[in-house]
Amino acid sequence: MNSPKTALVIVDVQNDFCPGGTLATGRGDDVARKIGGHQSARGADYAHIVATQDWHIDPGAHFSDHPDFVDSWPVHCVAGSEGAAMHEDVDTGTIEAYFRKGEYTAAYSGFEGAADGVALADWLKERGVEKLDVVGIATDHCVRATALDALDAGFEVRVLTDLCAPVDEARGEAALQELVKAGAQLS
């Protein structure tokens, strides 16, 4: 019997979410390096590797000159900008598809994104994927939302905590506990 197909989902490891970016997480560079190392060491273990990207064109009130850092944020990950590009330490050569989200609205979950018009859940199911390893930035925002939506879509989810960076450590830990209660595994 074949084991279930597993995909690696790399969430928003973009320049704007790493040191020097407009919404940097403190450990963004470190996590990007670790993800690149994981791709080198374990990439062959995955049936597929995909990435999500914030890809903002005009997201309305999501951008603000006076952000509340809950619903509104400084300008970040503008479509096609250097800030929206994947961090250089991520091995983009192994990524099969990019699921871009948030063009005209706030979007936190990779499951709100699409690649060539195909939603992430559909893309994965078309390829027989049943299990996801989720990594990326930020644990307390987009990683959390992506993992919750993956569970809702029927995938088995494991969050590789060493390969995630939160905006806020306490909120990141709370997000991980929420994910466990929802049915995700932590590794």
Side-chain angles (χ1 to χ4, degrees), residues 120-134:
L120 178 55
D122 295 335
W123 192 95
L124 294 166
K125 288 179 180 180
E126 286 170 5
R127 288 157 179 78
V129 172
E130 297 176 28
K131 298 172 74 173
L132 304 179
D133 279 356
V134 179

Side-chain angles (χ1 to χ4, degrees), residues 35-96:
I35 290 170
H38 184 74
Q39 289 173 278
S40 294
R42 306 291 308 272
D45 295 349
Y46 296 102
H48 303 282
I49 299 175
V50 299
T52 69
Q53 288 178 288
D54 258 16
W55 201 254
H56 299 308
I57 296 170
D58 182 8
H62 185 62
F63 282 176
S64 175
D65 291 334
H66 306 286
D68 63 14
F69 298 95
V70 176
D71 296 312
S72 61
W73 305 87
V75 173
H76 63 279
C77 296
V78 173
S81 71
E82 183 60 27
M86 297 297 287
H87 189 283
E88 67 183 3
D89 288 333
V90 174
D91 182 358
T92 57
T94 67
I95 297 171
E96 288 179 62

Side-chain angles (χ1 to χ4, degrees), residues 99-170:
F99 294 85
R100 294 177 168 162
K101 58 190 174 61
E103 289 92 338
Y104 298 100
T105 186
Y108 296 92
S109 170
F111 285 83
E112 296 175 80
D116 297 321
V118 179
L120 178 55
D122 295 335
W123 192 95
L124 294 166
K125 288 179 180 180
E126 286 170 5
R127 288 157 179 78
V129 172
E130 297 176 28
K131 298 172 74 173
L132 304 179
D133 279 356
V134 179
V135 302
I137 303 171
T139 312
D140 41 344
H141 294 283
C142 296
V143 169
R144 172 191 166 275
T146 299
L148 287 172
D149 281 355
L151 290 164
D152 286 346
F155 295 100
E156 193 176 318
V157 176
R158 180 172 67 163
V159 178
L160 307 182
T161 59
D162 232 25
L163 305 181
C164 294
V167 171
D168 176 86
E169 292 292 337

Side-chain angles (χ1 to χ4, degrees), residues 148 151 159 173-186:
L148 287 172
L151 290 164
V159 178
E173 186 56 38
L176 292 173
Q177 295 314 309
E178 178 185 4
L179 290 171
V180 168
K181 287 178 186 165
Q185 299 172 351
L186 303 182

